Amino acid sequence: MASQELITQLNEILKHEWTGVAQYSQAGFIIEGVWREVYADRFLGDAKESFGHAQLVGDKIVALGGVPVATRNEIRQSRDLQEVLQFSLEFEAKAVEMYEKALELAEGNRPLVIFLEDILKDEQEGVDEYTKLLRNSSAAGAAATHSAKKSG
Ligand SMILES: [Fe+2]
């Protein structure tokens, strides 16, 4: 029987994943202008990833004898793309932190540790990806053009 503390933490995670489903879907719906072409699919893909994680975690909570929550936290939204990317990075970083805490509580339960680590890997990929997307791409582009000119 899993500790109540672990089930409570998994439910906090589930709530966060449901928040991700709504937050990323909304970001995908409202993005307009030329960047819609690039980011609408990306955000909807991240909503699907959150849904996939919610499914895994919800099933696991029941397997451990708990009852999954069916609520979410407030979403953060903006029409400013930079801001949406920042919200996304913060969302992914919070997920990493939450799965790490669950991992501490799961210590000694090898299959559960592997289950959580598997998802943690996805969350860290999210952090890495949004970190790269938020880097000053116009400055990077200018540097690339500059070095291309020099070598040409
Ligand atoms: Fe997730």
Side-chain angles (χ1 to χ4, degrees), residues 21-107:
V21 172
Q23 182 168 310
Y24 282 124
S25 296
Q26 181 73 350
F29 297 153
I30 68 174
I31 187 162
E32 293 180 306
V34 289
W35 288 111
R36 175 167 182 79
E37 191 68 17
V38 178
Y39 282 102
D41 281 353
R42 174 174 186 100
F43 292 141
L44 290 175
D46 283 337
K48 285 178 192 162
E49 185 182 288
S50 270
F51 180 67
H53 292 166
Q55 262 186 305
L56 290 168
V57 173
D59 277 339
K60 186 57 80 180
I61 289 168
V62 173
L64 295 171
V67 179
V69 295
T71 53
R72 64 167 169 83
N73 305 311
E74 284 296 306
I75 67 161
R76 299 171 81 192
Q77 57 177 315
S78 169
R79 292 208 173 267
D80 179 287
L81 177 60
Q82 283 299 111
E83 217 168 42
V84 176
L85 294 176
Q86 188 60 43
F87 293 160
S88 302
L89 175 60
E90 286 166 22
F91 178 87
E92 300 292 326
K94 189 180 173 195
V96 167
E97 210 177 277
M98 295 179 97
Y99 281 97
E100 279 176 340
K101 189 179 168 198
L103 271 159
E104 281 171 28
L105 297 169
E107 219 180 89

